[in-house]
Amino acid sequence: MVRKRGSFILCGVFLFVTWNALLLLFLWGRLPTRRLGEGGRAEPGSREELGGAGLDLAKEVIRLADQVESELETQKKLLLQLQRHRPLWEGLGKRLMNSKKGGEDLLHPPQKYPGLADIDQSKGKQDQDSLIFPIHNMKVENKELVANEDRVKSTVASTDVIPILVIACDRVTVKRCLDKLIQYRPSAELHPIIVSQDCGHADTARVIGSYGSQVTHLSQPDLSDIQVRPEHKKFQGYYKISRHYRWALNQVFNKLSHSAVVIVEDDLEVAPDFFEYFRSLYPILRSDSTLWCVSAWNDNGREGLVDPGKAELLYRTDFFPGLGWMLTKELWAELEPKWPAAFWDDWMRQPDQRRDRSCIRPEISRTLTFGRKGVSLGQFFDQYLRYIKLNTEFVPFTKRDLSYLFRERYDEMFEKEVYSAPLVKAEDLKGGSMQGAGPFRLQYSSKDSFKVLARSLGVMDDLKSGVPRAGYRGVVSFLSHGRRIYLAPPSGWSHYDTSWS
């Protein structure tokens, strides 16, 4: 390798010297060679000429020197460009050598996630032979972490636009939401903020309007009441919200022609790495057909239930979390024709919509809700939502390898880690009699046993279409007394029971 690099450098030096030699010959050839001509003037440089034409010769020399300086400056720029592109040339040279050995197709090189293959060096130098699987310090050989380059259909580029859609109504506190979004967004061009307002509330409209060109303000035109069954009159707000979502998403995808969007409601505050989080996961969402959303929310993200030192942890979940989530235009084209009249979020959790697809969610939430008042009348707020921990540490997700989130790889590692964990009882957890740092597994076998265990450990116990909040393959992951716990069904789980609702 050293001999090859030395030959490359010598070749470059030879070309540089040759070029300068040719340049000097060219410039020398452009010196004036006037001889005796029609005016009977003497040859340049003769005693007769020097006396009267010395000034002209001096000017000619200065002009030539200026040309040499200009040419040298051009060469300097060329050399700087060569130096900047040297890694690409060396990489091409390696690939040419490898292609001779392995038959690589250089005309159709594999695509890569920009930045995803880079390992974050801020945590210290990692072992060359292994990587840490980001679930819970599970070591996996490099050969098992071969990137899914052949599966990548779309990658996030520096020019991909991912707008933020803020769903607003009559909360003037939307200012808190917008202030954080504007504070943390890295680019107004790559992440335009679109505020869609329902309700026609004048004070809220003035707050949104005060941001001027920093946001795009849309007003939902249909403010009329919706005809509902008499027993649903108290749910009129849910019907209006569903109508507003449908209108707003049609504006984003069909009128503004965006390919993806992150939806935020007006009572959410975002974390410092909110944009980094969604931007890094956009290519995963587009590449894995078993995913249908990315969410910033962990339903069990309360203090004490999450690991504060693992802000980089990401999971797959079968439960649709909402509360700051990303979807694609293709998914909206699938959902829009059958969009429900009300209760859109629970509708999303039904098997006919989910279709065995999952979302990605974080260990520590990237959104925090501060809106106690709303159509849900504060349901779960006082008991759960007000205690959700908002991430404060910036995690450079775009510089991490996130390919472990693809279903095949994730399922194998997740199932192995969950079902190799020692089986314990709830009394052991509460009594602190367990030995070791974990993880440990608690087993449930029925809806009632799940609810009893969940309530005793402080995690959310409700199920939607049989799926527990933050659950994946029936497993709910959380911390208890500083130890990782898996609340899991028996080994061999195959499907959710929709009667558990």
Side-chain angles (χ1 to χ4, degrees):
M1 183 64 191
V2 174
R3 292 178 61 187
K4 290 179 181 178
R5 183 172 295 180
S7 300
F8 178 79
I9 294 172
L10 287 175
C11 182
V13 172
F14 174 76
L15 290 174
F16 180 74
V17 172
T18 304
W19 169 256
N20 280 278
L22 292 173
L23 176 65
L24 289 174
L25 287 173
F26 169 73
L27 294 175
W28 182 261
R30 296 184 64 181
L31 283 168
T33 55
R34 292 174 294 169
R35 297 183 180 275
L36 288 173
E38 295 179 358
R41 297 178 62 184
E43 283 190 278
S46 65
R47 289 184 181 181
E48 294 84 356
E49 161 103 344
L50 288 176
L55 185 59
D56 291 339
L57 179 59
K59 289 181 179 180
E60 191 68 23
V61 170
I62 292 173
R63 184 182 65 81
L64 291 175
D66 289 339
Q67 287 187 358
V68 170
E69 183 178 1
S70 176
E71 292 291 341
L72 289 175
E73 186 65 28
T74 301
Q75 290 183 54
K76 179 181 178 181
K77 292 178 180 179
L78 289 172
L79 287 173
L80 288 173
Q81 291 182 14
L82 292 174
Q83 185 177 9
R84 284 196 297 268
H85 289 81
R86 178 179 173 182
L88 292 176
W89 289 3
E90 290 182 347
L92 180 60
K94 292 178 182 178
R95 290 185 61 194
L96 285 171
M97 293 299 295
N98 292 335
S99 66
K100 293 178 181 179
K101 299 177 181 179
E104 179 185 356
D105 185 2
L106 294 179
L107 295 178
H108 302 90
Q111 290 179 302
K112 293 186 177 180
Y113 303 139
L116 291 184
D118 298 331
I119 302 170
D120 182 24
Q121 300 299 319
S122 63
K123 300 291 185 181
K125 191 174 182 180
Q126 290 187 338
D127 188 276
Q128 295 293 328
D129 298 324
S130 64
L131 294 173
I132 301 299
F133 179 55
I135 290 187
H136 305 113
N137 296 334
M138 185 175 178
K139 286 193 175 182
V140 183
E141 294 299 320
N142 264 337
K143 61 184 178 182
E144 295 178 6
L145 286 177
V146 178
N148 290 276
E149 294 169 344
D150 56 331
R151 300 181 53 203
V152 178
K153 301 172 186 175
S154 174
T155 58
V156 64
S158 59
T159 56
D160 285 335
V161 176
I162 305 176
I164 311 298
L165 173 63
V166 180
I167 300 293
C169 181
D170 58 357
R171 290 188 181 107
V172 293
T173 51
V174 67
K175 184 178 189 305
R176 177 174 171 182
C177 172
L178 293 176
D179 283 348
K180 290 298 183 180
L181 284 170
I182 292 171
Q183 177 184 348
Y184 294 137
R185 72 172 169 177
S187 167
E189 291 73 26
L190 297 181
H191 297 287
I193 297 172
I194 304 165
V195 185
S196 181
Q197 186 189 2
D198 199 1
C199 308
H201 191 252
D203 289 341
T204 302
R206 278 192 290 272
V207 171
I208 299 168
S210 68
Y211 288 88
S213 61
Q214 294 183 95
V215 305
T216 299
H217 186 187
L218 306 178
S219 296
Q220 208 281 96
D222 187 358
L223 305 181
S224 63
D225 284 341
I226 300 173
Q227 296 297 319
V228 300
R229 302 192 306 269
E231 63 270 23
H232 271 210
K233 279 190 175 181
K234 61 182 179 180
F235 299 131
Q236 180 76 212
Y238 289 102
Y239 282 83
K240 289 185 176 181
I241 287 174
S242 189
R243 178 177 66 183
H244 184 198
Y245 263 82
R246 185 176 203 161
W247 181 85
L249 286 170
N250 276 330
Q251 296 299 305
V252 169
F253 290 125
N254 301 331
K255 298 294 184 181
L256 301 177
S257 300
H258 290 294
S259 59
V261 68
V262 177
I263 302 172
V264 174
E265 295 184 355
D266 57 358
D267 61 346
L268 292 181
E269 179 180 332
V270 302
D273 57 355
F274 175 86
F275 293 93
E276 175 82 358
Y277 173 79
F278 281 106
R279 196 158 190 85
S280 68
L281 291 169
Y282 176 63
I284 305 290
L285 176 63
R286 296 204 68 90
S287 302
D288 189 346
S289 61
T290 68
L291 291 172
W292 71 324
C293 90
V294 175
S295 174
W297 184 259
N298 177 6
D299 280 289
N300 290 312
R302 298 173 57 184
E303 292 273 4
L305 296 180
V306 295
D307 190 338
K310 295 290 181 65
E312 73 279 4
L313 281 183
L314 304 179
Y315 300 82
R316 293 177 68 103
T317 178
D318 296 323
F319 190 89
F320 172 73
L323 294 174
W325 60 287
M326 176 166 59
L327 77 159
T328 64
K329 185 175 185 178
E330 291 79 10
L331 178 63
W332 179 241
E334 172 193 324
L335 298 177
E336 196 273 341
K338 55 179 181 176
W339 191 251
F343 310 108
W344 69 269
D345 49 350
D346 283 343
W347 175 83
M348 289 277 288
R349 292 160 183 153
Q350 295 173 0
D352 289 345
Q353 280 62 252
R354 191 172 66 83
R355 292 167 52 188
D356 292 324
R357 293 174 292 191
S358 304
C359 296
I360 296 174
R361 60 97 174 168
E363 167 80 358
I364 303 178
S365 293
R366 264 59 185 186
T367 53
L368 173 70
T369 178
F370 54 84
R372 186 181 186 279
K373 295 182 180 180
V375 293
S376 63
L377 302 178
Q379 183 185 23
F380 297 129
F381 187 86
D382 290 330
Q383 188 177 1
Y384 294 104
L385 303 183
R386 66 183 297 180
Y387 301 108
I388 295 292
K389 177 179 174 60
L390 180 67
N391 181 60
T392 57
E393 174 188 347
F394 185 92
V395 178
F397 285 111
T398 55
K399 295 182 179 179
R400 291 176 176 268
D401 184 353
L402 303 180
S403 60
Y404 69 90
L405 291 165
F406 284 103
R407 174 182 274 182
E408 294 87 347
R409 182 177 305 166
Y410 188 93
D411 283 3
E412 180 182 355
M413 298 176 181
F414 186 76
E415 186 171 353
K416 180 179 178 181
E417 182 171 337
V418 170
Y419 291 99
S420 64
L423 189 63
V424 298
K425 297 180 180 180
E427 305 84 70
D428 299 328
L429 283 176
K430 292 183 177 180
S433 60
M434 298 177 303
Q435 299 296 321
F440 298 101
R441 177 165 51 99
L442 275 175
Q443 186 165 293
Y444 68 89
S445 57
S446 67
K447 172 184 175 181
D448 291 337
S449 64
F450 171 81
K451 284 183 168 291
V452 168
L453 288 171
R455 288 172 184 168
S456 67
L457 294 167
V459 300
M460 298 190 75
D461 66 340
D462 63 321
L463 303 104
K464 303 290 186 179
S465 296
V467 184
R469 290 183 181 267
Y472 185 69
R473 298 178 61 85
V475 179
V476 178
S477 172
F478 58 95
L479 244 59
S480 178
H481 301 287
R483 293 181 173 92
R484 178 62 55 180
I485 305 299
Y486 295 116
L487 182 55
S491 178
W493 176 95
S494 59
H495 66 281
Y496 292 103
D497 186 342
T498 54
S499 69
W500 292 18
S501 298

